[in-house]
Amino acid sequence: MSRISQTDPELTHRLSRRGMLGVAAGATAAALLGAAAAPATAATTAETAAGRGRPVLPPGRLGIQLYSLRDKVSTLGFAPVFAELEKYGYDEVEFAGYTQGSAGPITLAQLKRLARDHGLTPIGSHVGYYSSDPNAYTFAQNLTKVLDDAQALGLKHIGTAAGPFRYGSTVDAWKRAAEDFNAYGAAAKACGMKFYQHNHSDEFSFASDNPKVRLYDVLLTETDPDLVFLEMDIFWAYVGQFRFSTRPDGTPAPFEPLNYVLKRPHRYPLFHVKDGVSDPSNQFGYRMVDVGDGDIDYQRFISAVTRLRGERFAHHWQAEHDQPTESFTFARRSSEYLHSLREKC
């Protein structure tokens, strides 16, 4: 059953202050696709406001990973997609490439302006780690170009969703990968940005030469905390918990993804907010669903991070779904759900 509540009054109020031109553009795109939902009535929002505490989600910190909307970008282009995201109350966008097969050519300057015109801040981007192609657009092959493009977009973060498996899965292999990441982090810092790595579940597996060592712990230990940051994909972290809470020899090795963040919150400026329904019969332990329809307790997770002293506005929360049934619907419902969460008194 969906845990998504009715439209949040704070979100409704905030959206009413946004530019009417952007809202109109979003409505046009929605009409073409039949993706937008009817707005809540004043009575509904008044009922929703009753008995609510402080929003769990800090204002101005909700983003979306544009990979979730790649079908819409490739058919409509960035402008209609950004108009919809503005309408749904998003503040930020994270790129998965700067064209994504967009309908029609677009420059970085145009992309930056489009985001700004729709009240969206480009917050980060995923770029490849390495490739055998010397001309590939990756950190290893074209670091200067990657950083120049990120600066042109005004990004504060530039990272990769590739795991640190370039040299293998031994402890020393991950130490070598950590050296790479430290170098990219130093270069990004010199350009006024933070380099980050986004996890999947395999990062929580064990070193092939020492099954007592979790590879993610090697990454944390061997990377410089002032140069290398993490974007925890919360869904994949809990998949990692399901898959790797027992060592290859059968001994227990439980861990809690949230505890990684609470011990070192400054290392996690970005998060992917992705939901799943628990399914032990699935090899991953979860079936991915829209945010708010699953079993991951986001009220608990986000509250625990934002309640830390000085951390409420230190993080950015990016909604994502790898294969949404309808991507605009996913984006709208995810925003509604996350804006509806309130602190427990």
Side-chain angles (χ1 to χ4, degrees), residues 78-326:
F78 281 102
V81 170
F82 286 175
E84 286 299 292
L85 295 179
E86 177 183 23
K87 182 179 179 181
Y88 302 155
Y90 283 93
D91 309 294
E92 302 170 339
V93 289
E94 182 184 35
F95 290 98
Y98 305 133
T99 62
Q100 292 189 233
S102 175
I106 190 167
T107 66
L108 294 177
Q110 290 171 325
L111 196 53
K112 181 179 181 180
R113 185 165 57 251
L114 270 178
R116 180 196 63 202
D117 290 348
H118 290 289
L120 299 168
T121 300
I123 193 66
S125 180
H126 287 185
V127 177
Y129 170 15
Y130 67 94
S131 171
S132 59
D133 178 0
N135 297 313
Y137 191 79
T138 65
F139 283 95
Q141 277 67 43
N142 275 293
L143 178 60
T144 299
K145 174 63 174 171
V146 166
L147 296 180
D148 285 348
D149 288 350
Q151 280 189 300
L153 274 169
L155 300 182
K156 297 179 181 178
H157 310 84
I158 181 70
T160 184
F165 291 95
R166 180 181 185 181
Y167 306 108
S169 57
T170 65
V171 172
D172 284 343
W174 274 52
K175 287 182 177 181
R176 287 186 64 190
E179 290 178 3
D180 288 346
F181 286 6
N182 285 333
Y184 307 151
K189 184 176 182 178
C191 295
M193 293 177 287
K194 291 180 178 179
F195 170 81
Y196 65 96
Q197 193 267 344
H198 163 285
N199 66 275
H200 292 88
S201 63
D202 285 338
E203 283 88 338
F204 297 95
S205 63
F206 301 95
S208 58
D209 61 335
N210 187 346
K212 293 183 179 180
V213 176
R214 194 180 301 280
L215 288 172
Y216 196 70
D217 295 336
V218 178
L219 177 66
L220 282 167
T221 300
E222 298 296 328
T223 50
D224 186 328
D226 292 326
L227 300 177
V228 177
F229 299 86
L230 291 307
E231 176 180 61
M232 179 174 280
D233 186 304
I234 299 167
F235 171 88
W236 286 117
Y238 279 103
V239 170
Q241 181 192 59
F242 174 83
R243 295 179 65 198
F244 303 114
S245 284
T246 303
R247 295 188 181 89
D249 64 3
T251 58
F255 73 95
E256 167 55 53
L258 177 58
N259 288 343
Y260 275 107
V261 182
L262 298 182
K263 289 178 181 178
R264 48 188 76 78
H266 68 285
R267 297 207 71 179
Y268 292 90
L270 304 171
F271 292 91
H272 273 191
V273 180
K274 184 184 296 180
D275 214 343
V277 172
S278 179
D279 181 4
S281 67
N282 185 305
Q283 63 173 323
F284 298 119
Y286 292 88
R287 288 182 291 103
M288 197 177 298
V289 295
D290 288 356
V291 179
D293 287 346
D295 296 321
I296 297 176
D297 189 345
Y298 276 111
Q299 178 161 347
R300 168 181 172 265
F301 195 104
I302 299 174
S303 290
V305 176
T306 57
R307 281 178 172 176
L308 294 173
R309 185 178 178 86
E311 297 294 327
R312 181 159 173 78
F313 292 94
H315 309 275
H316 305 265
W317 307 88
Q318 316 293 309
E320 188 186 31
H321 192 312
D322 292 355
Q323 298 286 343
T325 300
E326 208 296 314

Side-chain angles (χ1 to χ4, degrees), residues 23-35:
V23 173
T28 300
L32 289 172
L33 291 149

Side-chain angles (χ1 to χ4, degrees), residues 52-67:
R52 293 298 188 93
R54 185 178 74 162
V56 168
L57 187 73
R61 288 295 184 269
L62 178 61
I64 192 165
Q65 166 52 252
L66 291 172
Y67 180 75

